[in-house]
Structure formats: structure tokens, C-alpha cells
Amino acid sequence: METTEIKLPQRTPEQLHNQGGNLLMRCYEQENSTNCYGHIPQKTNAPDYLRAKKKALKIAKQYNDTPLYLHIKNFL
């Protein structure tokens, strides 16, 4: 049986930023039981932000989305 690999389309940096920001925002909202009202949380060393970022990285890694993983890790 052959394994097929799903190839994701190439995304622009703006698309990566939007996707990563949305994922981070959703994780932040879930972790902290709050509503961000569509705004991406600001990068800080606060424990609640770091928990959300860790969860977003875990989700990106789970789906083998390397460009999104690297973007969240480096820029968000």
C-alpha cells in the first residue's frame, strides 16, 4: 500500500501571518476562557500567552504544517 502525502499550497507571508494569528487567537481564547474579539494576542512572556502559543505549535506540528509552525514559533 502506497502512502500519499498531502501537499499544501504555497502561502504568502501575509496568509501565514493570518492563519497563525487565527490559530493562536483561538488557542488563547480556549486556554483563558476569554474573547479576543478578533485581535491576535500581543507577544509577551505572560504564562497565559505562552500556554496558548505552545498549544498552537502543538496543533501545527500535529498536522505537519512546517511553514505555519515556524511562523508561529518565530514571529508570533
Side-chain angles (χ1 to χ4, degrees), residues 27-38:
C27 292
Y28 189 87
E29 289 175 342
Q30 278 184 341
E31 287 292 314
N32 300 303
S33 300
T34 186
N35 190 343
C36 293
Y37 298 101

Side-chain angles (χ1 to χ4, degrees), residues 9 19-21 23-24 26 31 35 37-38 40 42-43 46 48-50 53 55-57 73-74:
Q19 251 185 337
L23 180 58
L24 180 62
R26 298 290 177 226
E31 287 292 314
N35 190 343
Y37 298 101
I40 299 171
Q42 194 171 6
K43 186 175 184 175
D48 53 351
Y49 174 82
L50 295 175
K53 184 174 179 178
K55 186 174 182 178
L57 288 171
K73 186 174 182 179
N74 295 325

Side-chain angles (χ1 to χ4, degrees), residues 1 4 6 9-10 16 18-19 21 25-26 29 32-33 35-36 44 51 55 58-61 68:
M1 187 168 148
T4 57
I6 297 173
Q10 291 295 321
L16 277 174
N18 288 338
Q19 251 185 337
M25 180 179 60
R26 298 290 177 226
E29 289 175 342
N32 300 303
S33 300
N35 190 343
C36 293
T44 63
R51 276 193 311 269
K55 186 174 182 178
K58 183 179 175 185
I59 291 169
K61 191 172 188 178
L68 184 62

